[in-house]
């Protein structure tokens, strides 16, 4: 089993800071914000392709450009790069989603991966007209994925569930190949959905022992269902020619944060229903102190940003060591990012990737 490397597309804007300065939020005049226009996102996509990343993850949410439309446009600027498109099953018909995926595969010649985001923030869900509570959203996700896989068979498919009723659902021309489904969730409600439907279970970057516990949990649930699930991890990276340079870059990111920035972000993130988000917050407790929570694993990102809140920090060899450590636990998909995303892609691709190749961890 080799390592599969993926990068990230900042479709809400990019910059040299951790402060949440989305291009379409109220603070559009903040200095240093890079607009997520096609020209800039194409630069990142082309860099990722040149540097050997297999795919780029594109997020979903209020402050992001639509992932489907943006990535299908970017596919015309690239040749081999795949797109890991995040979407929410609660705001789209599963049959329509299956049809969109099939069309996407034909347009891009098979370059679609799917990241199913059930959603852990009820306020965000309500913006899109979704009023289900946390656990019922996961129940609906399970039904949604049953329908998607059902209609991909290419023959009429019926499904009568609590959340969806489909009579003769059909994708006349199923996608070829079928897109891999990436799925994450740390709650008790998420585990069975991952075990039953995910091709790749995706976790945020926690210390290795905690990641191992998650892998064991999902693997056990999948085995009960006669399935095998692969595993991925979502991390930021700060990799430099020396550890001193890398930690200096992390310190500069931390130095850019005011106490007010941290307090405001922690207040907003603290009310999230996402178990994964609460686990991220527990790693740092809102404090600037003790942010290296495991060797080379830095929790500073999560002081002000939701979602993946940890970064691998160190020399290229240090970062490769940590990737090898996670890989030994069973992780084969690494979905990475850094600020700014264009520059950090080059730091990683020209520094860490050759280290991984030298260790025999990358496919030719």
């Amino acid at each position: 089993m080799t390592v599969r490397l993926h990068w990230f597309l900042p479709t809400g804007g990019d910059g040299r800071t951790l402060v949440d300065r989305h291009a379409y939020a109220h603070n559009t005049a903040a200095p240093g914000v890079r607009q997520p226009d096609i020209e800039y996102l194409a630069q990142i996509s082309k860099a990722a392709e040149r540097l050997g990343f297999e795919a780029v993850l594109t997020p979903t949410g209020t402050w992001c450009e639509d992932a489907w439309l943006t990535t299908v446009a970017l596919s015309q600027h690239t040749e081999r790069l795949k797109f890991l498109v995040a979407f929410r099953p609660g705001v789209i018909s599963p049959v329509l989603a299956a049809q969109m995926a099939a069309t996407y595969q034909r347009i891009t010649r098979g370059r679609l991966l799917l990241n199913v985001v059930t959603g852990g923030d009820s306020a965000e869900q309500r913006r899109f007209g979704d009023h289900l509570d946390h656990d019922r959203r996961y129940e609906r996700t399970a039904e949604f994925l049953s329908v998607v896989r059902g209609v991909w068979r290419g023959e009429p498919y019926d499904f009568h569930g609590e959340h969806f009723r489909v009579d003769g659902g059909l994708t006349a021309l199923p996608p070829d190949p079928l897109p891999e489904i990436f799925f994450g969730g740390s709650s008790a409600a998420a585990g069975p959905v991952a075990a039953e439907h995910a091709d790749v279970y995706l976790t945020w970057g926690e210390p290795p022992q905690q990641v191992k516990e998650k892998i064991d949990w999902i693997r056990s649930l999948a085995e009960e269902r006669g399935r095998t699930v692969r595993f991925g991890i979502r991390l930021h990276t700060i990799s430099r020619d020396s550890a001193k340079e890398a930690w200096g870059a992390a310190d500069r990111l931390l130095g850019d944060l005011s106490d007010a920035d941290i307090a405001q972000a922690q207040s907003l993130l603290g009310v999230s229903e996402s178990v994964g988000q609460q686990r991220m917050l527990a790693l740092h407790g809102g404090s600037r102190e003790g942010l290296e929570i495991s060797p080379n694993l830095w929790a500073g990102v999560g002081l002000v940003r939701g979602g993946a809140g940890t970064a691998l920090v160190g020399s290229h060899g240090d970062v490769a060591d940590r990737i090898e450590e996670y890989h030994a636990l069973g992780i084969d998909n690494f979905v990475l990012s850094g600020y700014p995303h264009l520059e950090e892609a080059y730091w990683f691709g020209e520094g860490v990737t050759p280290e991984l190749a030298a260790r025999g961890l990358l496919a030719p």
Side-chain angles (χ1 to χ4, degrees), residues 24-25 35 39 45 56 77 80 101 118 143 145-146 148 162 193 199 223-224 232 234 236 272 325:
Y24 299 131
Q35 298 292 327
E39 289 75 18
S45 300
V56 285
H77 294 263
R80 302 174 307 279
T118 298
E143 290 190 9
L145 292 175
S146 293
V148 167
E162 181 180 350
V193 182
D199 295 307
E223 287 174 352
E224 291 173 4
R234 176 81 181 87
H236 304 282
S272 172
E325 182 179 12

Side-chain angles (χ1 to χ4, degrees), residues 19-40:
V19 179
D20 206 357
R21 293 171 179 166
H22 288 307
Y24 299 131
H26 301 299
N27 49 11
T28 53
V33 172
R34 300 181 187 179
Q35 298 292 327
D37 53 40
I38 287 295
E39 289 75 18
Y40 180 60

Side-chain angles (χ1 to χ4, degrees), residues 81 85 88 102 104 109 139 149 172 222 231 261 284 314 331 337:
L81 188 69
V85 174
R88 296 179 178 178
Y104 197 113
R109 297 177 177 86
E139 294 171 3
R149 292 195 186 276
F231 296 93
D261 289 331
H284 54 68
I331 300 287
S337 56

